[in-house]
Amino acid sequence: MELFYVSLLCLFVLLVSISFLFLFSNKNKSTLSCPLPPGNSGWPVIGESLEFLSTGWKGHPEKFIFDRISKYSSNVFKTHLLGEKATVFCGASGNKFLFSNENKLVQAWWPSSVDKVFPSSTQTSSKEEAIKMRKMLPNFLKPEALQRYIGIMDHIAQRHFHESWENQEEVFVFPLAKRYTFWLACRLFVSVEDPNHVAKLADPFDVLASGLISIPINLPGTPFNRAIKASNFIRKELVAIIKQRKTDLAEGKASATQDILSHMLLTSDENGKFMHELDIADKILGLLIGGHDTASSACAFIVKYLAELPEIYEGVYKEQMEIEKSKVPGELLNWEDIKKMRYSWNVACEVLRLAPPLQGAFREALTDFTFNGFSIPKGWKIYWSANSTHRNSEVFPEPLKFDPSRFEGSGPAPYTFVPFGGGPRMCPGKEYARLEILVFMHHLVKRFRWDKIIPNEKIVVNPMPIPAKGLPVRLFPHNKP
């Protein structure tokens, strides 16, 4: 069925593309002072999109990048991806250039289909709304603001492990990691903590997330169509939560600092205007998607690598048990405890290097410019890849070796370790992700050892790395022989 959708999409794109094939063929020739980067546009219409995507489906997304670096002897090459003329920037110099020229020479780009899944009630684009959101989020997601939520994270983690892990001989890690991170996001973003209410939202979110990375054909029964319906359902649920919160704030039953929702309701823009309910629902919807999918991937891969590397597990276990022994019964984790988790975070960073949830991202050229002696025309899309440095032996010696010591001291060189992006577009939830990952690790290792049930389980990258079978493990509780 998916193949049918792919074929239908390709046919549609082909008909449209033929109509415009020659219209813009000479558009940029007269304004470019340097040659275009080396490369290949691939097949007509579809370009190199299938190879770009298929290397991820096969679990080796870096292959698309490194094959072309080797072929063209260049850290920048041209291609054709997702129906767009594109260049790929590789290495620390490419990352630095893009991150340093955000909103100067380049800007964020994503397909227009995003607006169909995340329609704003305003007349602005999702791109403009994202810029507004980035201005608002730092006040809530900065480390000093998040410190007061560590106890809540600890409380949710305790409930999660008690209800979903304890007294189980075997579990599927990836869906449980998604449940944990989604529960946290619901609690910290909109103060929804009841497991039944969380579950009511969780299934539509899974439909929405899978539809975002599907073929964007809005016909009944397609993943994209189901994603749009799921987003509409979730938006209605969020509007109901927002209306109740406004009443609670007015009656003094809710706090101005209890979550992002209260922050949004009480924060005006530079003109003194407050956001409409549907605008807030749109933004919360996006936050809930971004606030748990990437972290759940990271948590799952931490479980994977700790199962494969007993000596690394021992280091994390020792550190976490020292923290646990310093606590009185019933005492929740706090900021001082998080600061002691240095080795655990080095381990998490090495996981993020080898299996970055954010494989890369697209930018769009705002004007003609040159990079490394090559011209990049206005309007072209630019892709940067985390793996171009993460798995580069010149940047990280023995790149496939799991080595947390890479992050000791000053750590990797600037612009080489980029699981959260960089520059103005760096993920604003980086510190939030660090806290939820460390709290997860604390509760995991203090309760269990575990073995992988499928030793060589395939990893699929679509668009983030996912264990193909959900990472089933066999649990061995510490308090049992």
Side-chain angles (χ1 to χ4, degrees), residues 24-38:
F24 300 107
S25 58
N26 298 313
K27 182 177 180 180
N28 294 300
K29 289 183 178 179
S30 62
T31 62
L32 302 181
S33 57
C34 298
L36 294 173

Side-chain angles (χ1 to χ4, degrees), residues 110 133 167 394 454:
W110 47 82
M133 196 65 189
N167 301 315
E394 295 180 4
I454 307 175

Side-chain angles (χ1 to χ4, degrees), residues 25-276:
S25 58
N26 298 313
K27 182 177 180 180
N28 294 300
K29 289 183 178 179
S30 62
T31 62
L32 302 181
S33 57
C34 298
L36 294 173
N40 189 348
S41 295
W43 294 92
V45 183
I46 63 174
E48 295 188 300
S49 299
L50 290 181
E51 188 172 355
F52 175 73
L53 295 171
S54 67
T55 54
W57 298 335
K58 295 173 183 176
H60 304 286
E62 72 280 0
K63 187 177 187 301
F64 180 87
I65 304 294
F66 288 123
D67 282 357
R68 284 154 182 78
I69 292 176
S70 175
K71 181 176 182 179
Y72 302 121
S73 300
S74 174
N75 280 340
V76 54
F77 59 86
K78 69 180 179 181
T79 180
H80 195 281
L81 299 174
L82 306 180
E84 300 281 350
K85 293 180 179 179
T87 56
V88 178
F89 282 24
C90 309
S93 61
N95 293 340
K96 180 179 180 179
F97 182 90
L98 291 178
F99 298 160
S100 302
N101 285 288
E102 187 73 40
N103 299 322
K104 301 173 186 174
L105 298 179
V106 298
Q107 65 180 3
W109 177 82
W110 47 82
S112 59
S113 59
V114 172
D115 285 318
K116 296 179 181 178
V117 178
F118 296 107
S120 174
S121 60
T122 69
Q123 296 304 308
T124 57
S125 68
S126 56
K127 190 179 302 180
E128 292 173 285
E129 292 302 304
I131 293 173
K132 294 179 183 178
M133 196 65 189
R134 284 185 163 270
K135 292 179 180 178
M136 176 181 292
L137 282 177
N139 290 330
F140 185 86
L141 295 177
K142 58 187 178 182
E144 52 269 33
L146 285 170
Q147 290 179 25
R148 61 178 175 266
Y149 301 110
I150 295 172
I152 297 174
M153 288 185 171
D154 192 17
H155 172 68
I156 295 294
Q158 287 185 36
R159 292 183 61 183
H160 168 74
F161 277 93
H162 175 71
E163 295 175 10
S164 301
W165 294 69
E166 292 177 358
N167 301 315
Q168 303 290 324
E169 293 184 0
E170 299 177 358
V171 297
F172 287 85
V173 174
F174 184 63
L176 287 186
K178 290 181 68 175
R179 186 182 304 176
Y180 162 72
T181 58
F182 188 65
W183 194 353
L184 271 184
C186 286
R187 171 59 185 87
L188 292 175
F189 295 172
V190 293
S191 294
V192 170
E193 185 172 340
D194 176 61
N196 293 326
H197 198 173
V198 173
K200 183 180 180 181
L201 294 171
D203 289 342
F205 262 97
D206 286 342
V207 173
L208 173 55
S210 62
L212 279 175
I213 57 175
S214 66
I215 305 301
I217 299 176
N218 189 11
L219 294 175
T222 63
F224 187 64
N225 178 264
R226 292 197 297 269
I228 293 175
K229 291 181 178 179
S231 71
N232 291 334
F233 171 83
I234 299 167
R235 192 175 289 104
K236 290 179 181 178
E237 291 289 313
L238 291 174
V239 168
I241 294 171
I242 292 166
K243 288 181 180 295
Q244 184 61 51
R245 176 62 57 81
K246 291 173 75 173
T247 300
D248 291 345
L249 286 170
E251 296 177 355
K253 298 177 181 178
S255 165
T257 58
Q258 72 183 55
D259 55 26
I260 285 182
L261 175 55
S262 284
H263 184 69
M264 288 183 179
L265 284 168
L266 298 173
T267 302
S268 62
D269 63 16
E270 60 273 13
N271 298 317
K273 294 183 179 179
F274 292 87
M275 283 189 287
H276 297 292

